[in-house]
Structure formats: structure tokens, C-alpha cells
Amino acid sequence: MRAIWKGAVSFGLVSIAVRLFSATEEKDIRFHQVHREDGGRIKYKRVCSVDGEEVKYDDIAKGYDIGGGEMVVLTDDDFADLPLSTSRAIEVLEFVPADQVDPILYNKAYYLEPDGAATKPYVLLREALGDADRVAIVKVALRQREQLATLRVHDDVLLLNTMLWPDEVRAPEFGFLDDDIEVRPAELAMASSLIDSMAANFDPEAYSDNYRAALQEVIDAKVEGREIVAPEEEEEAAPGATDLMAALRASVERARAARGESASSGTSDGDGTAKAAPAAKSSTSGSGGRKTAAKKTGDDAAPAKKAGPAKKAAAKKTAAAKKTTAAKKTAAAKKTTAAKKTTAAKSTASKKAS
């Protein structure tokens, strides 16, 4: 890293020499404007709108438009005469609780490194800030502009966060703020349930810039002459439900399903009361729920018990019918045998008579 500023932290009567480094960097892929036909870079000339002539960089000054086509021109000498007491110093003004600084005020972050023999007072201020659990409010001049900033500890290094001035923060002026919008308790309870189902500890390493990765793949493929493979499209979100409660309930179930939890556990009905899924009553409800399930099971089993005697009676009838049939067959067989014997006797008697 390259130091972009040198100065000192003014801490009471203690002065700590430091060097300033940018703590962040943008990873966006940057492009140049080029001629589509031959890839040549597009250049812009600094041309005066009055005489149409190209202007050298050394002849360019800053102008302030006062309206009506009039311009006040300021030179480097005009800026040099401006008082900047913090031009080479980071002046500590006071120490405040960190939660009193609204994050909307934060602008850019810089690391401070002790310069030369300033290591011991640097470490002293770092340890004192950590023990106090406060941040230092400071003033510093960077790039010819005085800025408000905070000084706090980050990864054992003093971190300077430049801040916006209060009049640089816009006030939210939207029409809906004057509307009387009623939020039902059931909706608020369901929204709170959705927040609970999506609660987690923040891990910045778990997130990545998928668009930048895909764009870099396209560039690499172009360089290597490979075929560009379109990245897989992410699953589109389901269309929004027209009913707010239905949308909240579906969101809670989807979040819990993603975590491997029961999708319907703890969801609420329209009146905000807890409602379990029918399939989960016997496992999630109390003793009353188990009794109800037992009663239902008993009622369902009752017809099976009544059907027992009917089956036995039917079996007896079947057995009796079988016995009757067998008896009839036996009687018929006896009659046939007797008839045969009678016929045979008559035949014998007739032969003897002849």
C-alpha cells in the first residue's frame, strides 16, 4: 500500500506521527471507451466554449457559477490563502460512545500507521480507546477539504472514518410519511417471525459479487479465444402474493425449509395465533392434542370391533350350509345305493321265477 497523507494525531499535548493509507478498494471491472471498428481509445480534448481552442492543463482554473452566465474564477493562490489549521494534523476533539454516531454519516475508511518513533504513543492511544469502548471525534484536512471523522480500533490498527457534515445528509421527504397506515398485530407478529427465521451472525466472507465473477469469465474467454458459456441463471423469486399475510407466511415457510426446519412450525393464522400443520398435531401439540388424536383413533377403530361378530356369524352360516349340503349329498347317495339294491333284488327274483 502507498501512503496518501502524512501528519500527526494531536491527542491533548501528545503528538503521534502517522501515515494514512486507504483501507478499502473497489473491485469493479473498469472499461475504456474505444472505437468499435478498430478498438482505438477514445480521447477527449479540453476545449474552451468561448474561443473553441484547446486549453492546456496548466491554464485550467476553478470557476464558481453565480448564475446569469457569470463565473467567478479562483486560482491556486486563492486556495492557498484559506486557513486550514488541520492541514497536517488529526485533531482529537472529544470521545463519544460508538452507538451515538449514525452510520449514515460514514464516508471513507483509512488505516493509520505509526511513523518513525511514534509506535509507543500510537499503541497507548489504541489500548486506551479499546478500554474506553468509545470513538474519537476528530477533524482532518484531506485534499484541501476539512472533514469530520472518527478514530477507532480495527484489527489492532487505528482506523480513521471520514464523515459527512450534518448538512450533507438529506432529510427523507416522502408523502407516505404523512399517511396514517395501520399495521395489524397479526401482520407485525408474522413479520417478526420472518425476521427470527432469517436471523444469523454476519459473515462477510459468505457473500460474493456474482456479476463481477461472471463478467471476468467473459473477459477471460475473450482473451483465450474460448467459447463464452453463459452462466447459470439463478432461480427467479416466486411472484409476489397480493395478500400481505399470505406473502409473509410463505416467506417464513421458505426460510425455515431452507434451514431444514419444519416449514409449518410456528406459523400464524390470520388472527396472529400460533397454528401447527395438521400432520404435526400429534407431535407438536400438548397433552390435549394427543388425547384428541387418541380419541379419533379409537372412533376409527370402533367399526372394526363391531364387524367382528358379523364375520363370526357369517362363518357359522357358511359352515352350516356346508354341513347341509354334505348331508343332502350323503342322503342322495344312500337313496341311489338302496335303489340299485332294490333293482338288483327284483332282477334276481325274476330270473328265479323263470
Side-chain angles (χ1 to χ4, degrees):
M1 292 189 293
R2 183 176 61 88
I4 63 172
W5 183 90
K6 282 187 176 184
V9 176
S10 176
F11 175 41
L13 298 178
V14 178
S15 181
I16 308 170
V18 294
R19 294 189 294 170
L20 199 69
F21 299 84
S22 293
T24 61
E25 59 178 334
E26 292 187 7
K27 292 290 187 178
D28 192 20
I29 297 176
R30 301 184 181 277
F31 297 96
H32 298 292
Q33 288 187 326
V34 298
H35 187 197
R36 188 187 301 274
E37 300 298 328
D38 54 21
R41 289 279 300 273
I42 303 299
K43 295 183 178 180
Y44 294 92
K45 294 183 178 180
R46 295 178 292 271
V47 178
C48 178
S49 62
V50 176
D51 59 19
E53 297 294 328
E54 186 174 357
V55 181
K56 295 180 180 180
Y57 188 80
D58 292 339
D59 294 333
I60 296 177
K62 291 182 173 64
Y64 181 78
D65 190 352
I66 61 176
E70 295 186 79
M71 194 78 65
V72 175
V73 179
L74 299 176
T75 65
D76 291 340
D77 293 337
D78 295 323
F79 288 101
D81 293 337
L82 293 177
L84 276 179
S85 59
T86 56
S87 60
R88 286 295 166 189
I90 300 174
E91 181 187 358
V92 177
L93 305 176
E94 57 187 358
F95 297 93
V96 302
D99 58 4
Q100 290 184 2
V101 181
D102 193 329
I104 197 175
L105 295 171
Y106 287 129
N107 193 5
K108 293 183 179 180
Y110 301 91
Y111 289 131
L112 294 182
E113 180 191 33
D115 192 14
T119 303
K120 185 172 181 178
Y122 178 98
V123 172
L124 177 62
L125 177 58
R126 183 193 68 186
E127 297 300 315
L129 267 179
D131 292 343
D133 195 22
R134 288 175 177 257
V135 298
I137 302 297
V138 304
K139 270 188 178 183
V140 59
L142 297 175
R143 299 183 179 90
Q144 296 298 313
R145 184 181 180 222
E146 189 172 61
Q147 299 187 60
L148 193 66
T150 62
L151 201 61
R152 61 188 178 93
V153 181
H154 176 76
D155 288 343
D156 290 335
V157 176
L158 291 178
L159 183 74
L160 181 81
N161 274 108
T162 57
M163 301 166 61
L164 302 172
W165 295 100
D167 60 356
E168 293 179 312
V169 179
R170 294 175 176 174
E173 297 176 354
F174 304 106
F176 81 92
L177 294 174
D178 297 327
D179 297 338
D180 187 12
I181 301 174
E182 181 182 359
V183 177
R184 293 188 297 143
E187 295 170 339
L188 183 59
M190 185 61 73
S192 299
S193 179
L194 176 58
I195 292 174
D196 291 340
S197 65
M198 298 178 68
N201 293 321
F202 178 60
D203 178 14
E205 298 296 329
Y207 306 93
S208 61
D209 187 347
N210 296 331
Y211 176 82
R212 177 161 58 91
L215 180 57
Q216 187 63 57
E217 176 63 25
V218 171
I219 294 172
D220 294 342
K222 284 270 190 179
V223 171
E224 299 171 7
R226 294 186 285 105
E227 180 183 355
I228 300 174
V229 180
E232 295 183 3
E233 295 184 3
E234 294 185 3
E235 182 181 354
E236 294 185 0
T242 55
D243 179 68
L244 181 58
M245 283 297 295
L248 289 170
R249 186 177 293 108
S251 300
V252 171
E253 291 179 354
R254 183 171 64 177
R256 286 178 174 162
R259 291 183 174 221
E261 300 176 7
S262 175
S264 58
S265 60
T267 57
S268 301
D269 203 348
D271 57 357
T273 56
K275 183 180 74 172
K281 280 186 177 179
S282 61
S283 60
T284 58
S285 58
S287 58
R290 286 193 292 270
K291 287 181 180 178
T292 303
K295 287 181 180 178
K296 286 186 177 180
T297 304
D299 292 341
D300 292 341
K305 290 181 179 179
K306 292 179 181 179
K311 288 183 178 179
K312 290 180 180 179
K316 287 180 179 180
K317 287 181 180 180
T318 302
K322 287 181 178 179
K323 288 181 179 180
T324 303
T325 302
K328 287 181 178 180
K329 288 182 178 180
T330 303
K334 288 180 178 180
K335 286 182 179 180
T336 302
T337 303
K340 286 181 178 180
K341 287 182 178 181
T342 303
T343 302
K346 287 181 178 180
S347 178
T348 301
S350 176
K351 286 180 179 180
K352 286 180 178 183
S354 59

